[in-house]
């Protein structure tokens, strides 16, 4: 058996809201490595970390590359550091790049660190101490916050994974309207869904492959299979140059951020969970269009929110009734509210207690506290004050999942079209 000695390279925190993208920087590094005869051993990885991380620019993504650790290692390291120095958005206060080189196998301790970077907050100091303890070569630029994500990006195991093809624009077009033929995107979705997904939000007529920021990305197509990405790229038409493109292996749309909680009380703020609870009250909409309701179990209760950007998802949520048992997936944010990404109906409460119907067909009314019911039409009376259980028709279905629309979906959220795949 040939044992390949591996050099892992992690890069993070190079971009700002005004421009750049760590994936673009990685694609430039890959080109220069290839020009120098250095090939990657696997697809470059784009790893999404804690969605609640404070200093993220957008989707909290770090990138990692794997090459063989041979006589070109110092050249490879030089190329990586040169490109990070050349392309990072150093003028932005919040851009604090970090680069990690690590030679050898990823240990279980490093894998645990990577999951912590998805579930919890890690300080720069902690990351640095951890990196040193496992033998990482650490390069910090400015505050070097990027080392937190860089160590995680090289360390995270990918059992379930997806791919994203990112096409990049020519620099003179940065910040201008992207010239993508939308009809061709609809065509691409028709031909390649569900192998590709998250292309279009049909309810909003929203082209999700097109970023809305001034970054170098022209479009990004997400998929379960590389072959589908090639087909998709051939179908999407654009009328501006694509200067480069690159396929990344990612943890996007795998639900890797979701931890199973056995009770409501064990969930913590800024964590993402799957938990089962009983709906306590009818969902209510407030000013601004956000919708809220409570779920409870023996351990406590928590307010759940379907926010305005989730659009028609709120209509689905509005069908929930007290007594329904639901499994909710999402995260507990700033306001301590559980922000729902999707939910499954475990058991609908399809019984409502109503006033009895009189023999004459009219609904009876209360005859006073503990005095039974009376019929206003025929004067009939019954002694019992017990309401009668009636089976009601529901608009939701037992066992079904309901999800937020594509336009409101988190990078890490697993869409329903992937639920049976892993
Ligand atoms: P883009 O998606 O456009 O690449 P971004 O949203 O990934 O941008 P970054 O510029 O990478 O934003 O900034 C995120 C910062 O948060 C990085 O410095 C990263 O190291 C750090 N970070 C990542 N995960 C955690 C965590 N769990 N705790 C604390 N900091 C984290």
């Amino acid at each position: 058996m040939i044992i390949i000695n591996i050099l892992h390279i992690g890069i993070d925190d190079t971009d700002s809201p005004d421009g750049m993208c760590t994936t673009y920087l990685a694609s430039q590094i890959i080109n220069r490595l290839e020009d120098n005869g250095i090939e990657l051993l696997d697809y470059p990885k784009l790893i999404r970390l804690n969605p609640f991380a404070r200093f993220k620019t957008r989707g909290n993504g770090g990138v990692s590359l794997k090459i063989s650790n041979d006589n070109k290692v110092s050249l490879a390291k030089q190329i990586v550091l040169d490109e990070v120095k050349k392309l990072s958005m150093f003028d932005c206060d919040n851009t604090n790049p970090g680069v990690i080189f690590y030679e050898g196998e990823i240990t279980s301790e490093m894998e645990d660190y990577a999951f912590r970077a998805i579930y919890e907050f890690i300080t720069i100091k902690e990351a640095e101490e951890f990196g040193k303890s496992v033998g990482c070569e650490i390069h910090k630029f400015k505050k070097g916050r990027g080392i937190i994500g860089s160590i995680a990006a090289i360390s995270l195991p990918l059992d379930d994974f997806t791919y994203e093809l990112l096409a990049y624009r020519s620099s003179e077009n940065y910040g201008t309207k992207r010239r993508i033929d939308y009809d061709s995107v609809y065509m691409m979705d028709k031909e390649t869904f569900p192998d590709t997904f998250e292309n279009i939000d049909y309810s909003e007529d929203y082209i999700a492959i097109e970023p809305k920021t001034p970054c170098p990305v022209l479009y990004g197509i997400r998929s379960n299979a590389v072959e589908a990405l090639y087909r998709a790229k051939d179908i999407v038409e654009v009328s501006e140059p694509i200067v480069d493109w690159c396929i990344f292996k990612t943890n996007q749309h795998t639900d890797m951020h979701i931890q199973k909680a056995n009770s409501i009380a064990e969930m913590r703020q800024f964590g993402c969970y799957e938990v089962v609870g009983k709906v306590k009250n009818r969902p209510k909409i407030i000013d601004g269009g956000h919708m809220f309701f409570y779920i409870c179990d023996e351990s406590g209760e928590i307010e759940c929110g379907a926010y305005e950007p989730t659009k028609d998802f709120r209509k689905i949520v509005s069908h929930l009734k007290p007594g329904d048992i639901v499994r909710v997936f999402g995260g507990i944010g700033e306001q301590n509210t559980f922000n729902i990404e999707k939910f499954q109906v475990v058991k609908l409460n399809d019984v409502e207690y109503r006033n009895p119907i009189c023999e004459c067909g009219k609904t009876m009314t209360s005859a006073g506290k503990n005095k039974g019911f009376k019929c206003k039409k025929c004067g009939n009376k019954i002694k019992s004050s017990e309401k009668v259980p009636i089976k009601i028709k529901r608009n939701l279905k037992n066992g079904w999942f309901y999800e937020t629309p594509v336009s409101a979906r988190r990078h890490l959220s697993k869409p329903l079209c992937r639920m049976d795949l892993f």
Side-chain angles (χ1 to χ4, degrees), residues 11-16 19-23 46-63 94-98 113-124 144-150 152 215 411:
I11 309 158
D12 198 4
D13 209 344
T14 64
D15 54 11
S16 82
M20 191 38 58
C21 171
T22 306
T23 68
L46 165 59
I47 300 300
R48 301 289 178 179
L49 300 165
N50 191 334
F52 290 112
R54 224 179 113 205
F55 296 100
K56 65 179 186 164
T57 311
R58 286 176 290 267
N60 198 11
V63 166
N94 248 342
T95 300
N96 293 287
Y113 168 95
F115 281 106
R116 275 192 56 219
I118 295 180
Y119 300 149
E120 297 166 25
F121 298 125
I122 297 176
T123 62
I124 303 174
R145 180 172 290 109
I147 65 166
I148 305 170
S150 297
C215 71
H411 292 297

Side-chain angles (χ1 to χ4, degrees), residues 360-415:
C360 74
K362 177 102 180 138
T363 303
M364 300 180 91
T365 53
S366 169
K369 201 162 183 231
N370 297 327
K371 287 189 179 147
F373 292 94
K374 63 173 189 261
C375 176
K376 278 189 176 159
K377 192 175 165 202
C378 63
N380 211 359
K381 282 188 180 168
I382 49 175
K383 279 192 184 148
S384 168
S385 297
E386 298 275 299
K387 291 198 173 195
V388 189
I390 308 277
K391 203 164 158 62
I392 50 165
K393 199 175 162 312
R394 300 293 308 268
N395 291 318
L396 302 170
K397 289 198 169 138
N398 282 320
W400 280 42
F401 283 90
Y402 299 90
E403 66 183 345
T404 50
V406 171
S407 58
R409 192 143 328 132
R410 280 216 167 108
H411 292 297
L412 277 163
S413 286
K414 193 190 270 203

Side-chain angles (χ1 to χ4, degrees), residues 206-218:
Y206 171 87
I207 302 290
I209 69 165
E210 177 185 9
K212 306 295 173 280
T213 58
C215 71
V217 177
L218 178 60

Side-chain angles (χ1 to χ4, degrees), residues 350-357 387-393:
D350 58 1
V351 173
E352 236 175 53
Y353 287 86
R354 295 192 184 152
N355 291 359
I357 310 282
K387 291 198 173 195
V388 189
I390 308 277
K391 203 164 158 62
I392 50 165
K393 199 175 162 312

